Amino acid sequence: MSVDLLDDTMKTQLALEWERFRKALSQAGDIAALNLDEWRIVSERDRKGLPPAVSVLAVQSLVKMEKSGLRGQSIRLGEETKDSTLRMLAKAQSGEIQLQDADHSEVYSVLAYQAGKRLGLHDMPASVFGDAMAYLLTGWMQAHAVEARYPDKLIYEFKKVAGSPPEGGFLWSNLQSLTCRKAFKAMIETAGLVGTPAFR
């Protein structure tokens, strides 16, 4: 359960993902620099307990997909169209990937948990926020929260501000838009109410 289980490539990948979160959550506050010493890192998958654990297997999978370009489903929208705007959009998004796998979900749940802690959430609200973020980003739900309705409520808060995720999932450029950043702020604020009478 130590950062020593990660090699330099895995640490670099997690730092990249942390910076993506840092930008996307900037409306809610600054989550500061990554500190892997705060994380629970395990060699085998462990989806129980708090703080949520990230497995070396999941991080290895992220690195492998990043290097191979197989991080998810590539965007090819508009390549065959005569509409110049759609062609420009397709070109701009050609390097972006939609994330739709369980390994990203596991890592993103922990990233969001740690970010939530940095933004002032206690363990349970931070885990609810992590589970909701993992689902929004990947379509795969993690189950660290006590009740499934808690992450659902946060996802609903996101949708009220930013709308439903596009078919096939989000791109990081979408998630870093002002609308999504405001929606993440609303999620953090709602997560802070978990366990209180105001959370319905």
Side-chain angles (χ1 to χ4, degrees), residues 124-166:
M124 182 49 66
S127 71
V128 171
F129 177 68
D131 291 350
M133 281 287 284
Y135 179 77
L136 277 171
L137 299 177
T138 68
W140 288 75
M141 178 65 83
Q142 297 295 309
H144 299 104
V146 175
E147 291 189 40
R149 71 180 176 95
Y150 290 172
D152 289 345
K153 173 70 172 155
L154 268 60
I155 292 164
Y156 174 71
E157 291 300 317
F158 178 91
K159 290 179 179 180
K160 283 194 321 190
V161 176
S164 294

Side-chain angles (χ1 to χ4, degrees), residues 28-48:
D30 186 13
I31 60 173
L34 175 67
N35 181 0
L36 291 172
D37 291 327
E38 297 172 347
W39 291 37
R40 189 163 70 102
I41 300 167
V42 295
S43 56
E44 300 294 325
R45 296 187 196 278
D46 176 6
R47 295 197 170 118
K48 297 178 182 173

Side-chain angles (χ1 to χ4, degrees), residues 116-117 119-130 150 153-154 157 184-200:
K117 293 288 285 182
L119 294 171
L121 298 177
H122 298 292
D123 281 339
M124 182 49 66
S127 71
V128 171
F129 177 68
Y150 290 172
K153 173 70 172 155
L154 268 60
E157 291 300 317
F184 292 137
K185 181 180 179 186
M187 286 176 68
I188 287 286
E189 290 168 353
T190 303
L193 300 174
V194 169
T196 70
F199 189 87
R200 297 173 208 203

Side-chain angles (χ1 to χ4, degrees), residues 61-62 65 70-72 98-106 138 140:
S61 179
L62 264 64
M65 285 187 266
L70 298 175
R71 292 178 59 219
Q98 289 173 320
L99 307 168
Q100 299 174 323
D101 62 88
D103 291 316
H104 274 89
S105 179
E106 179 183 323
T138 68
W140 288 75

Side-chain angles (χ1 to χ4, degrees), residues 2-64:
S2 164
V3 71
D4 298 334
L5 295 171
L6 303 175
D7 62 28
D8 289 341
T9 306
M10 289 186 272
K11 291 176 186 175
T12 300
Q13 183 64 42
L14 290 174
L16 171 69
E17 302 292 353
W18 183 261
E19 288 305 314
R20 289 174 174 153
F21 269 76
R22 190 174 185 179
K23 186 173 181 181
L25 296 173
S26 62
Q27 290 286 311
D30 186 13
I31 60 173
L34 175 67
N35 181 0
L36 291 172
D37 291 327
E38 297 172 347
W39 291 37
R40 189 163 70 102
I41 300 167
V42 295
S43 56
E44 300 294 325
R45 296 187 196 278
D46 176 6
R47 295 197 170 118
K48 297 178 182 173
L50 289 178
V54 65
S55 68
V56 172
L57 299 171
V59 181
Q60 285 173 335
S61 179
L62 264 64
V63 170
K64 181 179 176 183

